[in-house]
Amino acid sequence: MGAVSSRLPVFPWDRLEPYKTTAAAHADGIVDLSVGTPVDPVPAVIRQALTDAADSPGYPTVWGTPALRDALTAWVTDRLGARGVEHTNVLPIVGSKELVAWLPTQLGLGPGDKVGYPRLAYPTYEVGARLAGAEPVVYDDPTDLDPAGLKLLWLNSPSNPTGRVLSADELRRTVAWAREHGVLLFSDECYLELGWEADPVSVLHPDVCGGSLEGIVAVHSLSKRSNLAGYRAAFLAGDSAVLGELLQIRKHGGMMVAAPVQAATVAALGDVAHVAEQRERYARRRAVLRTALEAAGFRIEHSEGSLYLWATRDEPCWDTVGDLAKRGILVAPGEFYGSAGERFVRVAFTATDERVDAAVRRLAE
């Protein structure tokens, strides 16, 4: 017992608890801008679909219903611009974090294999490598990596935590490099619908992949764009050979998206009105928070996409976390995402309008 957990880093969010306690003691309550969890209502069209499918006594399939696969292929074609997408090119998953954490294991990676991911990144990329016993390696430019032993390469655009958006040229160059060296490329595109100062492009777009899905897979989630974090609704799209192998493994593992959630996903992907409405909410929160942070002496870097502002006062991140906690504002220390973030904090704009406005007032004090 404990042999696997010993491979993993300390769970970072536990270190934030004392600061959360401090922020919660504020007379007007805490403004939690740390985790980035959705707070707005699940759209009615999605809730209705979930309710209508509630009488689902039988086991769902791992591959999903034909209606779900139709919805996934249509969305990937229409929204991402991918070509030649068939049912074999899509696969529903039980939330994207599950996939990130267990992908190296499901791919059969282990000691001697390497998993590459950005120097500033979502911690679960490293966790996935360590769970499999593989070696995690970070990069500033993925094409500078030594391809020897590199079996899996993660991209993330828009980035968590920095909000950086990779250009089509950068993506195209990386796809070509990965194919040249036989490296499987997974692109985490969960924030693709949330570009603010740039228009995010998928690796599945023909301008990036040349119209072929060989060797590439995109990861998408409905948690952010549709407020469905509680539903655990996500999916993969890309190379049919890779997804076919994962499908077989996941069948044996019983990794099934609940039937009502499958129905809700169909409804979510078929409705664009709620996505536009949610974007408007986030755009307003982002604008007022950015203005308030800059007025309070912060510098914002990148942040052209995603649900976060990557902010710094050119001081150790825990000093910033502590100061803001005294004002009742909780943010995430950049150190959680790699040592390169040790002088930054990640500020989510997923709180309610009322809480965001409270943060704005406190930042002005």
Side-chain angles (χ1 to χ4, degrees):
M1 294 294 293
V4 175
S5 64
S6 66
R7 304 174 192 166
L8 305 179
V10 174
F11 188 64
W13 293 96
D14 291 343
R15 297 175 59 196
L16 201 58
E17 284 302 314
Y19 299 91
K20 185 174 184 179
T21 299
T22 298
H26 190 279
D28 186 37
I30 188 173
V31 178
D32 193 342
L33 306 179
S34 63
V35 178
T37 187
V39 297
D40 299 303
V42 173
V45 65
I46 301 174
R47 283 185 279 134
Q48 186 62 55
L50 185 82
T51 301
D52 291 346
D55 186 15
S56 297
Y59 289 111
T61 65
V62 173
W63 200 12
T65 63
L68 175 58
R69 283 178 263 141
D70 282 344
L72 295 177
T73 55
W75 188 87
V76 169
T77 300
D78 297 342
R79 179 63 183 85
L80 305 185
R83 296 175 184 166
V85 182
E86 301 178 358
H87 282 196
T88 53
N89 299 114
V90 295
L91 179 65
I93 54 176
V94 191
S96 59
K97 183 171 184 175
E98 166 262 304
L99 183 281
V100 174
W102 293 107
L103 178 64
T105 298
Q106 292 176 18
L107 292 173
L109 304 190
D113 298 323
K114 298 177 182 177
V115 176
Y117 56 91
R119 186 173 303 280
L120 280 166
Y122 183 48
T124 312
Y125 302 131
E126 177 187 359
V127 167
R130 294 192 181 280
L131 282 171
E135 179 186 352
V137 293
V138 299
Y139 65 77
D140 294 306
D141 182 334
T143 64
D144 289 337
L145 287 170
D146 180 355
L150 184 65
K151 298 297 178 65
L152 174 62
L153 176 64
W154 281 105
L155 298 182
N156 180 208
S157 176
S159 163
N160 174 14
T162 69
R164 181 186 175 199
V165 174
L166 298 175
S167 68
D169 285 343
E170 290 174 299
L171 293 171
R172 183 165 47 246
R173 181 167 59 89
T174 303
V175 168
W177 181 89
R179 284 173 170 167
E180 177 186 355
H181 296 288
V183 177
L184 177 61
L185 188 154
F186 265 66
S187 179
D188 182 346
E189 302 176 353
C190 290
Y191 296 93
L192 185 131
E193 299 269 32
L194 297 163
W196 308 110
E197 298 166 10
D199 187 13
V201 180
S202 172
V203 292
L204 304 184
H205 194 284
D207 288 350
V208 172
C209 67
S212 168
L213 305 183
E214 180 182 358
I216 56 174
V217 177
V219 183
H220 283 270
S221 168
L222 279 71
S223 293
K224 313 302 185 184
R225 49 100 67 190
S226 298
N227 299 332
L228 295 188
Y231 284 46
R232 311 314 300 135
F235 62 93
L236 306 178
D239 190 325
S240 61
V242 176
L243 298 192
E245 174 68 9
L246 291 177
L247 175 59
Q248 295 306 312
I249 294 166
R250 295 170 73 85
K251 282 181 179 179
H252 284 290
M255 305 179 87
M256 301 172 282
V257 175
V261 174
Q262 293 190 29
T265 299
V266 173
L269 293 177
D271 180 72
V272 297
H274 79 272
V275 180
E277 181 179 358
Q278 190 59 44
R279 274 185 56 89
E280 290 177 5
R281 292 188 184 113
Y282 285 142
R284 183 261 175 191
R285 295 165 187 166
R286 177 182 183 273
V288 297
L289 270 175
R290 178 167 193 155
T291 298
L293 286 165
E294 290 176 335
F298 285 87
R299 184 175 75 256
I300 307 299
E301 292 193 1
H302 296 301
S303 306
E304 57 261 32
S306 82
L307 289 177
Y308 313 106
L309 293 169
W310 189 237
T312 182
R313 289 194 306 203
D314 294 311
E315 65 184 7
C317 61
W318 288 104
D319 290 354
T320 308
V321 171
D323 177 65
L324 291 177
K326 293 174 184 176
R327 306 190 202 190
I329 302 170
L330 189 67
V331 298
E335 184 181 274
F336 280 7
Y337 308 94
S339 59
E342 62 187 9
R343 298 179 74 82
F344 286 81
V345 293
R346 193 194 73 170
V347 183
F349 42 90
T350 54
T352 64
D353 290 341
E354 184 274 332
R355 289 289 83 188
V356 167
D357 290 342
V360 169
R361 290 193 299 273
R362 296 175 194 182
L363 286 166
E365 293 174 355

